Amino acid sequence: RDIYDAICNAKYFIYVAGWSIDTSQYMLRGEELRKTLEKGKYSPRIGDLLKSKADEGVVVDLMQWDDYTSNRLLTGMNGTFDE
């Protein structure tokens, strides 16, 4: 919940770094997710939330590490197939 709130309240910039970024992932669960889907200003889905903030003029930067062992044939160290 803290990360979701921090992104919602960002006014200038948001930096996200990670091995694999799944933009369809929900940032909330249970009752919080249900209430936010019904009445929330921002989507609880990370991709939609970041796009909304960018549309508001907030700088959104994503840094995804490149796992050279991940490709069409190998899953990579994290099993993400993210190449």
Side-chain angles (χ1 to χ4, degrees):
R1 179 69 201 213
D2 291 341
I3 294 172
Y4 174 79
D5 289 338
I7 292 172
C8 289
N9 293 319
K11 295 186 183 340
Y12 304 107
F13 58 88
I14 299 166
Y15 293 114
V16 179
W19 286 104
S20 182
I21 299 162
D22 181 357
T23 58
S24 65
Q25 193 71 22
Y26 285 104
M27 300 190 71
L28 303 173
R29 295 182 183 168
E31 188 66 19
E32 286 182 324
L33 174 60
R34 187 186 65 74
K35 286 181 181 178
T36 302
L37 286 170
E38 287 177 4
K39 300 178 185 176
K41 176 179 178 183
Y42 295 108
S43 172
R45 192 171 284 184
I46 183 68
D48 296 335
L49 175 57
L50 293 174
K51 183 176 181 328
S52 293
K53 295 306 292 187
D55 290 344
E56 290 177 6
V58 175
V59 174
V60 176
D61 289 330
L62 298 175
M63 183 173 74
Q64 182 172 344
W65 285 283
D66 190 8
D67 179 0
Y68 292 108
T69 65
S70 177
N71 55 51
R72 285 181 279 210
L73 302 175
L74 303 170
T75 65
M77 294 179 73
N78 292 318
T80 59
F81 287 104
D82 58 0
E83 275 296 308

